[in-house]
Amino acid sequence: MSEEGKGAKTRRELLIGIGGVTLLGGIFLARGGAIKKQGIKAIQKIQTILPLPSKTLPPLPVDPALSIQGLSPLITKNKDFFRIDVAQELPQIDISTWRLTITGMVKNPISLSYSDLLKRPLFELDDTMSCVSNPVGGFLIGNARWLGCRLDDLIKEAGPLASADQVLSSSVDGFSAGFPLSNLDGRDAMIAVGMNGSALPIIHGYPARIVVPGLYGYVSATKWLSNIELTRFDRKQAYWISRGWSKLGPIKMESRIDMPADGATLAKGDTYIAGVAWAPNSGVKAVEIKINNDPWISATLGPALSGTTWRQWWIKWSATSGQHQISVRAINTSGEVQTPEIADVLPNGAQGWHSVSVRV
Ligand SMILES: Nc1nc2c(c(=O)[nH]1)N[C@H]1C(S)=C(S)[C@@H](COP(=O)(O)O)O[C@H]1N2
Ligand SMILES: [Mo]
């Protein structure tokens, strides 16, 4: 087996393991080992009071999931947010000595302490983060209100050389992720220090991580961030790239049926079919449902927090006796319809329509 194939398999095994455990009861495991007790203690120790953002988002709208049981909440609670990383042990970062550096092909290397970072103008960002290994219908995706400072401003201050084309970030534990410098095209990429109203939890990257709207985590979302290097794709490769995964990782348009669950047995009568759909960076314009061989029907959509957040969708369904196949597809604001063509997660993300089969 080639080095690439071997690495890719390792990653998939890891992910399958985590997915299984998550479904069993929300206990998170890091590559086969439980979070060390010390990590949990350290989470409790984080009492950082974050400064208020200089730019706030409107308060969150009423969540449709409050009235539709089984639908994913608009915002994923921190405790329910999926976790993916290759950390053998949770990094224990001493905030008094931690620094974020910006180095490499830059005119003015930068070094910031945690308090330097918190002094920068902070803004809020609603963004759905997805793992490239999220299968069609999978749960390696979550939506959060992040708090952080602009990444493009920081990089501008560092002054990238004209020949630099990659933003390669690395963590204290050696993980790295890289994306094209050209992706800093005005989108709200950030160095996040907060998540859903609290400091970044340790498992999600405390003290700081990168969040780039529209990109899968493996190319962008470095947790326990320590360095951002401006470099070139033809010189340096990030962690997962040499293990068979695509150099570029834009999140694909997808949709998921949350309920009814595949294989469920339902009572006859009125129920909901409901789920979430996402289409970075433009946003979801419509979601359509197909029941058996009936024509596609439009679902009702929940609020659109941003072009890079998921949207909840639902329809009321009067279930009749029998076996039913239900499929979903999203349509983005440019009118593009989610492709039915199936792709596996490797090398650049799963695609295809999610279907469930239920018995009434
Ligand atoms: N330090 C570090 N950061 C990391 C990773 C990692 O293995 N180590 N995995 C990345 C991947 S593949 C994903 S999908 C996201 C997941 O972020 P979450 O665990 O906060 O959901 O983190 C990214 N950041
Ligand atoms: Mo990922």
Side-chain angles (χ1 to χ4, degrees):
M1 189 188 287
S2 72
E3 191 46 49
E4 286 195 348
K6 222 167 85 195
K9 182 146 173 282
T10 306
R11 175 187 174 83
R12 299 200 56 195
E13 285 164 352
L14 156 74
L15 294 163
I16 289 160
I18 289 177
V21 172
T22 304
L23 290 176
L24 283 175
I27 301 157
F28 296 89
L29 296 188
R31 197 163 220 161
I35 291 179
K36 297 284 179 294
K37 285 210 181 80
Q38 45 163 11
I40 290 163
K41 260 193 230 136
I43 291 171
Q44 291 162 347
K45 259 196 315 208
I46 298 178
Q47 298 293 349
T48 320
I49 309 293
L50 294 173
L52 287 176
S54 50
K55 242 172 64 195
T56 53
L57 289 172
L60 290 162
V62 173
D63 186 346
L66 293 174
S67 41
I68 302 176
Q69 226 199 338
L71 172 62
S72 294
L74 181 57
I75 294 283
T76 314
K77 288 198 174 102
N78 289 358
K79 70 171 176 56
D80 298 328
F81 209 91
F82 76 98
R83 175 189 175 197
I84 292 290
D85 55 63
V86 293
Q88 305 281 346
E89 258 173 58
L90 276 180
Q92 301 286 307
I93 291 175
D94 177 356
I95 205 64
S96 63
T97 56
W98 176 83
R99 296 196 81 83
L100 167 62
T101 51
I102 304 184
T103 59
M105 300 171 70
V106 294
K107 289 172 209 120
N108 321 299
I110 289 177
S111 172
L112 299 171
S113 68
Y114 189 57
S115 64
D116 293 337
L117 203 56
L118 296 188
K119 276 185 213 125
R120 297 183 67 86
L122 301 181
F123 69 103
E124 292 178 309
L125 167 71
D126 289 336
D127 184 57
T128 295
M129 179 171 295
S130 172
C131 182
V132 67
S133 295
N134 189 38
V136 171
F139 289 86
L140 298 177
I141 182 164
N143 191 37
R145 180 161 281 190
W146 308 93
L147 175 73
C149 65
R150 290 198 73 87
L151 177 59
D152 52 6
D153 283 353
L154 255 177
I155 288 183
K156 226 177 284 162
E157 287 168 36
L161 304 184
S163 49
D165 65 7
Q166 181 179 204
V167 180
L168 181 67
S169 55
S170 45
S171 65
V172 299
D173 69 339
F175 173 83
S176 60
F179 63 88
L181 178 57
S182 59
N183 279 169
L184 296 179
D185 50 9
R187 74 181 73 184
D188 290 331
M190 67 159 52
I191 296 181
V193 292
M195 182 179 183
N196 294 330
S198 57
L200 214 51
I202 285 199
I203 63 166
H204 296 299
Y206 175 83
R209 77 176 310 169
I210 294 183
V211 175
V212 183
L215 299 186
Y216 287 122
Y218 82 107
V219 291
S220 62
T222 301
K223 309 192 274 191
W224 316 296
L225 181 64
S226 66
N227 178 247
I228 299 172
E229 179 183 351
L230 273 289
T231 181
R232 293 181 53 85
F233 277 101
D234 61 15
R235 278 186 205 166
K236 287 204 171 168
Q237 284 194 331
Y239 187 88
W240 284 116
I241 311 312
S242 55
R243 291 163 171 85
W245 295 78
S246 171
K247 230 161 47 169
L248 301 180
I251 297 178
K252 295 181 180 178
M253 166 160 47
E254 265 298 325
S255 48
R256 180 180 79 200
I257 299 168
D258 288 339
M259 59 164 296
D262 191 31
T265 303
L266 310 177
K268 219 164 89 176
D270 287 348
T271 183
Y272 280 104
I273 302 171
V276 285
W278 54 97
N281 291 317
S282 71
V284 172
K285 183 172 80 177
V287 171
E288 294 179 336
I289 305 303
K290 190 177 181 64
I291 303 170
N292 303 321
N293 287 318
D294 299 345
W296 289 94
I297 47 174
S298 291
T300 306
L301 292 178
L305 294 178
S306 79
T308 58
T309 51
W310 64 22
R311 278 184 93 165
Q312 298 150 305
W313 58 263
W314 60 90
I315 62 161
K316 276 192 176 147
W317 181 43
S318 213
T320 53
S321 300
Q323 187 77 28
H324 303 283
Q325 164 102 356
I326 306 165
S327 303
V328 63
R329 67 182 185 188
I331 297 165
N332 71 13
T333 52
S334 329
E336 286 164 307
V337 180
Q338 184 191 326
T339 180
E341 230 168 275
I342 291 170
D344 192 10
V345 294
L346 188 72
N348 63 356
Q351 63 182 41
W353 295 338
H354 185 214
S355 296
V356 297
S357 180
V358 298
R359 205 170 50 171
V360 178

